[in-house]
């Protein structure tokens, strides 16, 4: 059973984890505060921060795990999807480290890893299960038939759910990253405002219209409206996004007959989505699964657990492997 060091650097968090026999010994990250003053991730700065953070982070993760370099059986990394300049840092660091140690490398798809977050702690969902993966870059409904066998059965045709949260927060003048801040305000408000919901066929999603709908609504109001109604506005946006997500999830259950259900990705940290997902599960007799908070937002433990299963299947990458900004599951 392997000991694996995993690196995640697809966006603005540098993350490193060590897993021994599929158990997480340490799951650490260095977040990049620098982007807040720009109201969003600046790719060039993210890349530079990864460069600065990666070695100290890997050293600390080894120390915390009480693991020395020679104990490692493989080095895993996120190959994509993500920001090219960010991915390059993690991919090349992992490849160089593996050459130095003469160890194999394992490449991991970031979106597959968000689903894989469900394999870290028991109980894990039974196959086949459906996973609604909602992050800052993606919104996907994934049908999972085995640890590494998954198929996207629905996805956003424009913005991701996390982007919708972040853009709405920005419209309300809230600091970046907007999703968690909007969530906090929503906790103290009521969803009294109505925003247009998209009409997209099948199991696909659309969120770009929501931003326009909020913008037009707010523009028509008198000065000071947003400040005075901030909590209720946040609660209304949050309810609309959660409605859209759970309506499609219900449709996916009807179409597939699968009642083993999971959510993952950064937006799965949203308290209203978690609450209503569980509530729906109880009402419809579904088995619902939500990863621990730290395994919802970007982390390297989820990269490590997918790598663990790839290791068991002998699925190693070649040193010629490069990052992919777009990388389908
Ligand atoms: O998975 P993730 O950490 O990174 C990506 O792969 O994109 O997801 C980040 C997204 C951001 O859009 C962030 O605003 C959103 O997840 N997010 C939330 C919450 N926590 C994180 N959105 C709503 N409510 C939250 N509590
Ligand atoms: Zn992610």
């Amino acid at each position: 059973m392997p000991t694996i060091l995993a690196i995640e650097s697809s966006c603005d968090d540098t993350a490193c984890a060590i897993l021994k026999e599929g158990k997480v010994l340490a799951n650490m990250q260095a977040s990049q505060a620098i982007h807040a003053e720009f109201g969003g991730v600046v790719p060039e700065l993210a890349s530079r921060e990864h460069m600065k953070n990666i070695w100290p982070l890997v050293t600390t993760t080894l120390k915390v795990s009480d693991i020395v370099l020679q104990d490692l059986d493989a080095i895993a990394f996120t190959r994509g999807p993500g920001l090219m300049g960010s991915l390059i840092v993690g991919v090349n660091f992992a490849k160089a480290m593996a050459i130095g140690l003469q160890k194999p490398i394992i490449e991991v798809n970031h979106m597959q890893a968000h689903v894989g977050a469900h394999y870290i702690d028991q109980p894990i969902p039974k196959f086949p299960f459906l996973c609604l993966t909602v992050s800052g870059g993606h919104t996907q409904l994934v049908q999972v038939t085995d640890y590494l066998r998954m198929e996207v059965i629905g996805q956003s045709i424009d913005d991701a759910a996390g982007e919708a949260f972040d853009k709405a927060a920005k419209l309300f003048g809230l600091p970046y990253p907007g999703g968690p801040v909007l969530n906090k305000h929503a906790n103290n408000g009521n969803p009294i405002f109505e925003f247009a919901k998209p009409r997209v066929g099948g199991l696909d999603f659309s969120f770009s219209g929501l931003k326009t709908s909020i913008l037009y609504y707010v523009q028509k109001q008198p000065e000071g409206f947003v400040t005075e109604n901030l909590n209720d506005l946040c609660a209304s946006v949050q309810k609309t996004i959660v409605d859209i997500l759970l309506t499609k999830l219900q449709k996916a259950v009807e179409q597939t007959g699968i009642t083993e259900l999971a959510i993952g990705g950064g937006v799965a940290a949203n308290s209203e989505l978690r609450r209503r997902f569980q509530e729906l599960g109880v009402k419809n007799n579904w088995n619902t699964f939500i990863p621990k908070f730290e395994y919802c937002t970007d982390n390297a433990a989820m990269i490590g657990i997918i790598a663990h299963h790839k290791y068991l299947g002998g699925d190693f990458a070649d040193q010629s492997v490069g990052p992919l900004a777009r990388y389908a599951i």
Side-chain angles (χ1 to χ4, degrees):
M1 288 291 244
T3 301
I4 295 175
L5 182 139
I7 290 167
E8 149 66 33
S9 72
S10 65
C11 192
D12 61 337
D13 290 323
T14 323
C16 182
I18 293 175
L19 280 78
K20 188 176 181 181
E21 298 169 13
K23 303 269 171 301
V24 179
L25 299 186
N27 181 39
M28 314 207 54
Q29 55 207 10
S31 301
Q32 303 182 358
I34 193 160
H35 305 287
E37 61 185 285
F38 300 97
V41 177
V42 185
E44 171 69 19
L45 294 179
S47 173
R48 286 171 196 228
E49 290 293 299
H50 284 307
M51 289 288 291
K52 266 196 270 175
N53 294 341
I54 198 156
W55 176 240
L57 182 68
V58 167
T59 317
T60 310
T61 311
L62 284 161
K63 205 180 271 172
V64 169
S65 312
D66 205 13
I67 290 286
V68 294
L69 287 170
Q70 285 69 25
D71 295 335
L72 299 174
D73 295 304
I75 316 288
F77 57 88
T78 303
R79 185 182 184 191
L83 299 171
M84 185 47 87
S86 291
L87 290 166
I88 281 174
V89 179
V91 172
N92 283 329
F93 185 91
K95 282 167 64 175
M97 195 172 167
I99 289 179
L101 295 170
Q102 296 196 305
K103 303 287 180 186
I105 49 172
I106 301 173
E107 57 95 5
V108 175
N109 179 305
H110 181 91
M111 294 312 292
Q112 195 166 42
H114 271 303
V115 176
H118 288 280
Y119 309 150
I120 298 173
D121 289 328
Q122 297 293 336
I124 75 166
K126 284 194 287 292
F127 300 111
F129 69 90
L130 294 179
C131 185
L132 171 69
T133 317
V134 271
S135 73
H138 295 84
T139 302
Q140 295 183 334
L141 266 166
V142 186
Q143 188 167 333
V144 191
T145 42
D146 203 351
Y147 287 104
L148 302 172
R149 283 211 354 244
M150 32 186 106
E151 185 194 352
V152 177
I153 57 170
Q155 60 190 320
S156 178
I157 57 167
D158 43 55
D159 292 353
E163 231 173 324
F165 270 110
D166 294 338
K167 285 180 175 175
K170 204 168 184 173
L171 275 176
F172 300 153
L174 298 174
Y176 173 87
V181 186
L182 189 144
N183 190 172
K184 270 194 200 125
H185 285 283
N187 289 344
N188 300 317
N190 294 306
I192 54 173
F193 302 110
E194 287 250 356
F195 300 112
K197 293 213 182 94
R199 284 195 213 122
V200 199
L203 297 176
D204 286 339
F205 303 84
S206 168
F207 288 101
S208 64
L210 178 62
K211 184 193 156 190
T212 320
S213 170
I214 300 165
L215 180 68
Y216 287 168
Y217 187 84
V218 169
Q219 273 176 346
K220 279 189 294 189
Q221 309 304 323
E223 229 185 281
F225 176 82
V226 170
T227 320
E228 280 160 31
N229 297 278
L230 185 60
N231 293 345
D232 290 344
L233 281 167
C234 288
S236 308
V237 169
Q238 180 169 275
K239 179 178 184 300
T240 309
I241 295 173
V242 173
D243 280 349
I244 296 169
L245 292 172
L246 293 181
T247 304
K248 286 288 162 132
L249 185 64
Q250 258 177 308
K251 201 168 172 185
V253 173
E254 281 159 26
Q255 281 190 16
T256 61
I258 295 171
T259 54
E260 198 81 356
L261 297 174
I263 55 173
V267 179
N270 182 268
S271 59
E272 182 69 1
L273 178 60
R274 292 165 92 93
R275 186 185 70 74
R276 286 189 41 205
F277 173 63
Q278 279 169 323
E279 194 179 84
L280 259 187
V282 171
K283 193 172 140 213
N284 294 302
N285 229 349
W286 301 342
N287 271 336
T288 53
F289 297 84
I290 307 177
K292 247 197 241 166
F293 192 81
E294 63 183 294
Y295 301 145
C296 283
T297 50
D298 284 351
N299 65 90
M302 68 181 191
I303 306 300
I305 194 73
I306 289 290
H308 174 81
H309 288 282
K310 284 194 155 189
Y311 185 100
L312 298 182
D315 186 356
F316 300 104
D318 187 85
Q319 271 285 343
S320 63
V321 68
L324 295 172
R326 287 166 178 268
Y327 188 8
I329 277 186

